[in-house]
Amino acid sequence: MTTSTRVIDTDVAIVGGGIMGASAALALRRKGVSVVLLERDLCGSRSSGVNYGGVRRQGRPVSQLPLAQRAHQVWANLPALIGTDGEYQRSGHFKIGRSEADMASLEKYAEVSRDFDLGIQLISGATLRERCPWLGGRAMGGSLCPDDGQANPRLVSPAFALAARRAGAQILERTPMTSVEHDGKLFTVRSGTAVTVRAPVLINCAGAWAGALAAQFGEAVPIHSGHPAMAVTEPLPFFMHWSLGVEGGGIYCRQVARGNLVLGGGAGVALDADRARSERSAIATLAVQAVELLPQLKNAHFIRTWSGTEGYLPDRQPVLGKSHTTPGLIHGFGFAGAGFQIGPGVGEVLAELALDGRSTTPIAAFAIERFLPTTVAEVASTAAAH
């Protein structure tokens, strides 16, 4: 440590300024807890800011629905909480079925999610054609969740960090974590020789880069990076309120109030460990699928394409909960391209874990233990691999 190093003692340190980390910082400040958040770039500039912007509960694993319902309440009060509506609107999320098997799957989901009162409506046949004359011929029906919707991630995710700062959190951008140690009581997080943060609680919200921090504390998980292929069209006459998805995955799209359609589907490519882009073949495939789904797009122009880096785990579920090995360490990462809607709920859960050691929302399904070795041989093998 040099004499110019800035040393900060705080109650909770957070690594990662995406929507998870920033909303956790805000939730902690609302409880009067001192917080320092380190973000290596700008808050919301990684996966939290480059995603599609879907704010949907429909289609999530049932294990995530308590978390999604909690977040749904936060979204309802967004302007009061973060000072902007972030273009959030409960426009409805419609999942399209293109076969009898798809419709059977949607009916099954409506049944298994019934206890969560999502208000799902199954629509098919003439009713669909009447309500959605703009849908292409392959859609034979679908499932509507009227209170799901959409928002602009480029506005919402940074706004959580700004709100946390206004509430008193120290938000340190362009401050990458370069080392972290734990002496049994305190974590010491360093960003080179510029900043040292000491705290009894450390929250790991480093997104696709969270695996290295977890591994340092003996919790290596099989996280890998994924890169969505995204595009937006020129403004078109407004015709579609719903945000659309397709049963079984694939293309998804929404139209914003000024007329542009935001579309995603397929995979981009990594340029290096930090950057990614949508390549030509993925965008070409997306264009074909888009016109098939929405014939109005036949002559539309894409005006921008982009990608980003997201952290994926094999079971497509996040890691959310306390460390198995290290007191005071809390994980919140691996949201597999579906974290935007549940982000504000995750922030509240992380704040509860930091203060109370447990959450009022069921999160057992997301425990990091599911990836940890359970035998001496597995422990030795994992240690050798890292």
Side-chain angles (χ1 to χ4, degrees), residues 174-199:
R174 300 200 189 285
T175 307
M177 183 193 75
T178 55
S179 70
V180 57
E181 300 167 356
H182 187 237
D183 64 5
K185 293 183 179 179
L186 289 177
F187 292 92
T188 300
V189 182
R190 294 188 175 86
S191 181
T193 58
V195 177
T196 294
V197 179
R198 298 184 297 216

Side-chain angles (χ1 to χ4, degrees), residues 52 228-230 243-246 250-254 262-266 286 293:
Y52 165 67
M230 306 294 303
S243 176
L244 299 182
V246 174
I251 186 173
Y252 38 93
C253 63
R254 62 187 178 93
V262 181
L263 303 102
L286 183 62
L293 188 68

Side-chain angles (χ1 to χ4, degrees), residues 64-134:
Q64 290 188 16
L65 288 180
L67 201 54
Q69 290 292 71
R70 182 169 187 167
H72 192 62
Q73 299 306 314
V74 181
W75 281 99
N77 298 310
L78 206 64
L81 183 65
I82 64 173
T84 176
D85 66 5
E87 299 180 5
Y88 172 57
Q89 53 178 313
R90 291 187 172 178
S91 56
H93 174 259
F94 188 68
K95 180 159 279 194
I96 295 168
R98 297 181 291 188
S99 67
E100 294 291 349
D102 285 350
M103 293 304 298
S105 179
L106 292 172
E107 290 173 13
K108 182 178 179 181
Y109 186 80
E111 180 61 32
V112 300
S113 64
R114 192 175 304 280
D115 289 347
F116 295 93
D117 196 25
L118 302 183
I120 287 177
Q121 304 169 13
L122 295 170
I123 303 173
S124 60
T127 301
L128 178 68
R129 298 300 164 204
E130 180 180 347
R131 296 186 64 175
C132 315
W134 36 266

Side-chain angles (χ1 to χ4, degrees), residues 280-301:
R280 183 179 302 175
S281 62
I283 295 301
T285 300
L286 183 62
V288 171
Q289 293 175 330
V291 173
E292 179 184 81
L293 188 68
L294 301 169
Q296 290 95 325
L297 298 185
K298 183 177 180 181
N299 297 310
H301 293 266

